[in-house]
């Protein structure tokens, strides 16, 4: 069984809960501190996977943020270099 990560919202301890709904067993991961929870699913492993998946999403979010800063910065620098060469080059 995979370990549950701490709550991404408050850092609280997560727990996996099971519910009997119309004769079916459904699972849900929930934070015992703030109540943040996954959707219910009929597979325990899927609930754990959904709860723990944000780690990869946070890494992706960081990469996108860095690119969101670097691309416009690179474009601005290219523009300024082109402007500088245009001013220095005169009528070449």
């Amino acid at each position: 069984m995979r370990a549950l990560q701490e709550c991404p919202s408050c850092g609280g301890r997560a727990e996996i809960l099971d519910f009997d709904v119309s004769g079916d067993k459904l699972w849900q991961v929930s934070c015992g501190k703030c109540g943040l929870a996954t959707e219910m699913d009929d597979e325990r492993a899927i609930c754990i996977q959904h709860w723990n998946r944000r780690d990869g999403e946070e890494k992706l979010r960081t990469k996108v943020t860095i690119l969101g800063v670097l691309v416009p910065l690179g474009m601005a620098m290219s523009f300024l270099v082109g402007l500088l060469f245009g001013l220095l080059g005169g009528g070449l």
Side-chain angles (χ1 to χ4, degrees), residues 2 9 11 23-25 36-38 54 56 58 60 71 74 81-82 89-90:
R2 293 175 58 186
S9 179
D24 293 327
K25 185 172 272 196
L36 182 70
T38 63
R54 69 185 177 280
E58 288 174 1
L60 179 61
V71 169
V81 168

Side-chain angles (χ1 to χ4, degrees), residues 2 4 17 26 35 42 44 46 48 51 54 60 63 66 72 74 92:
R2 293 175 58 186
L4 293 172
L17 308 169
L26 297 176
D42 58 353
R44 186 174 196 252
I46 297 294
I48 294 171
W51 181 264
R54 69 185 177 280
L60 179 61
K63 290 177 184 177
I66 290 170
L92 293 179

Side-chain angles (χ1 to χ4, degrees), residues 9-86:
S9 179
C10 71
R13 185 174 166 265
E15 56 189 349
I16 186 143
L17 308 169
D18 64 323
F19 301 93
D20 287 319
V21 179
S22 300
D24 293 327
K25 185 172 272 196
L26 297 176
W27 301 91
Q28 182 180 49
V29 178
S30 177
C31 174
K33 187 175 178 182
C34 73
L36 182 70
T38 63
E39 293 182 12
M40 289 186 177
D41 199 288
D42 58 353
E43 290 190 41
R44 186 174 196 252
I46 297 294
C47 283
I48 294 171
Q49 181 182 9
H50 285 178
W51 181 264
N52 290 340
R53 75 174 176 203
R54 69 185 177 280
D55 185 43
E57 292 173 357
E58 288 174 1
K59 290 177 185 174
L60 179 61
R61 186 178 303 119
T62 300
K63 290 177 184 177
V64 169
T65 302
I66 290 170
L67 285 175
V69 170
L70 292 180
V71 169
L73 182 62
M75 292 174 63
M77 288 178 61
S78 296
F79 173 77
L80 292 174
V81 168
L83 184 64
L84 181 63
F85 279 124

